[in-house]
Amino acid sequence: MPHALLSVSDKTGLVPFARRLVDAGFTLLSTGGTARALTEAGLAVTPVEAFTGAPEMMDGRVKTLHPKVHGGILGDRAAHADEAAANGVEWIDVVVVNLYPFEQVTERGGVALAEAVENIDIGGPTMIRSAAKNHRHVAVVVDPADYDRVAELIASGGLDEEARRALALRAFRHTARYDAVISAWLARATGDDGFPDEAALGLRKVQALRYGENPHQQAAFYGDAGGPEAGARSLARLRQHQGKELSFNNLADLDAAVRAVFELDGPGAVVVKHHNPCGAAVSRAGLVAAFEQALAGDPVSAYGGIVAFNQPIGGEVVRAIKSSKTFFEVIVAPGFDDVALERLASRENLRVVSLPAGWADGRPPGRDARRVQGGWLFQDWDLGAPVAWNVVTKRAPTEGEAATLRFAWALCRSVKSNAIALAVDTGEGAAANGVGAGQTNRVDSVRIAVSRATKPVPGSVLASDAFFPFADGLQVAAEAGVKAVIQPGGSIRDEEVIAAADAAGMAMVFTGARHFRH
């Protein structure tokens, strides 16, 4: 009779699948808790220690690491038949294994290193990899979702080589992710925050997407591994209350929106279109005022965009959103009260999304990364860069200008480079008054920001994500009536730029920190 070896941590669907194996003529081999579960269900099971003639040892650490197990899995049925017979090795044709729940245990948070290490599976990955390597002869099953399909194929005559190869690929991906999750957790637990010589990403598919940026591109959303130690800022943990599934572009814009809104100090709202803020505001009067001022920053571009808030929203905010008559794809916030959700329900196609708990105080997990052809670019997240406040002009900013400059600087960090953000003092906070993004030269970004202004530019302030390489961009701003500027400084022509600001009676502050976002 053929043998099937079953050793699983996740026992979902185990017993029905095992029964179907028995019905197909298999002898069941098993270990520990899996053997108990099968026996309690009335199935005949041969314990692995009886199969090998060797007891489980060292608190179960050594039980399947035995020549009769791995010889039975790895042997070539033709080339090694005589050797197997001489050593009492019986072939194992199906291996059903899933692994110690390392990820589930460490997701609880506060797990000691010793406990985490005890949940690192050794025998399981070894059996999986052995079976996957020898998939020409062995079927390896690592996911309960495959049980029915595998059982049906066995019952209808067996798994062909194509089916076994597909299972082997799934198995290697499974063990690769398992090792990646362990290495990522150990790096965090031991404070190894450098850039290692070798790296792996422990990703899991969150959802298939209808398409990518364009309909001809296939796409899916993958989430990082990790629990509390990995950080609360994970779009894989969003809660969607209503509306169509989030698309590739929705998720990308949503990421840009929440990055921007949580840079703002005070009750704030940001409207994002094509990865760039087109409107933003903070207001001591609350989120309703912040939303209305953010929308007023560029109501034309806001159509079809995403609106994000940095505080939970209630019914009055929803009333303001609906009163605006503006179509938004997504509304995202740290939470919605019952009245807000009830009032939003009438817009069935509107996607309403809550951020995970702790977002405001968290950090994004891992590192920022970008896919390039043939590799990845990794970098630290652009968070917490030191900001100097070095007034370099004859005139210092007024108190009101200084507060608005800080707002503009926070907003500018979320705009695609070359980035320019104009802002105005609203009396209760600050609001964007024109954004210039993604241009190949800075002076064009200034011109665009000025052209997008919906409030008078005279009296506005300006933030630039990088230094002005020439005085021309600053002169365009001065001619439009901008009264104060914040920028990193550091150009070889800083003296020319400062002189131009002084000539225009502008105040200018150098921060000493650049914030490119390509």
Side-chain angles (χ1 to χ4, degrees), residues 232-322:
R233 290 196 178 191
S234 171
L235 297 187
R237 297 166 60 193
L238 297 174
R239 180 185 178 191
Q240 185 170 349
H241 298 276
Q242 67 174 59
K244 296 182 292 185
E245 284 189 356
L246 292 165
S247 69
F248 184 100
N249 290 330
N250 289 155
L251 286 162
D253 282 343
L254 192 154
D255 181 61
V258 294
R259 285 192 196 202
V261 79
F262 282 96
E263 293 285 346
L264 305 183
D265 186 15
V270 170
V271 182
V272 162
K273 189 74 171 290
H274 296 300
H275 293 203
N276 278 300
C278 57
V282 293
S283 177
R284 290 184 293 276
L287 292 181
V288 171
F291 165 73
E292 291 173 344
Q293 291 158 3
L295 180 60
D298 190 346
V300 174
S301 297
Y303 182 87
I306 287 178
V307 58
F309 298 88
N310 60 10
Q311 296 179 1
I313 68 174
E316 291 306 308
V317 177
V318 173
R319 189 191 303 276
I321 293 171
K322 297 179 78 170

Side-chain angles (χ1 to χ4, degrees), residues 451-488:
S451 72
R452 291 283 182 87
T454 55
K455 302 177 182 68
V457 175
S460 295
V461 307
L462 177 150
S464 174
D465 65 342
F467 60 64
F468 284 97
F470 302 95
D472 52 0
L474 187 114
Q475 289 166 340
V476 169
E479 290 167 4
V482 171
K483 291 302 182 185
V485 172
I486 187 167
Q487 58 132 320

Side-chain angles (χ1 to χ4, degrees), residues 11 33 182 191 225 248 302 376:
K11 295 178 176 56
I182 292 168
F248 184 100
W376 292 84

Side-chain angles (χ1 to χ4, degrees), residues 14-89:
L14 170 68
V15 170
F17 180 48
R19 282 204 177 98
R20 296 177 75 174
L21 292 174
V22 170
D23 292 343
F26 281 83
T27 295
L28 304 183
L29 310 176
S30 194
T31 63
T34 305
R36 285 192 299 274
L38 296 173
T39 301
E40 289 169 4
L43 292 167
V45 177
T46 300
V48 164
E49 55 264 38
F51 182 72
T52 63
E56 289 190 13
M57 296 188 296
M58 302 175 182
D59 298 321
R61 287 190 176 198
V62 180
K63 49 192 173 186
T64 58
L65 298 170
H66 192 280
K68 286 193 174 182
V69 172
H70 289 281
I73 296 172
L74 278 167
D76 184 300
R77 278 22 179 187
H80 302 139
D82 291 343
E83 191 175 357
N87 289 278
V89 172

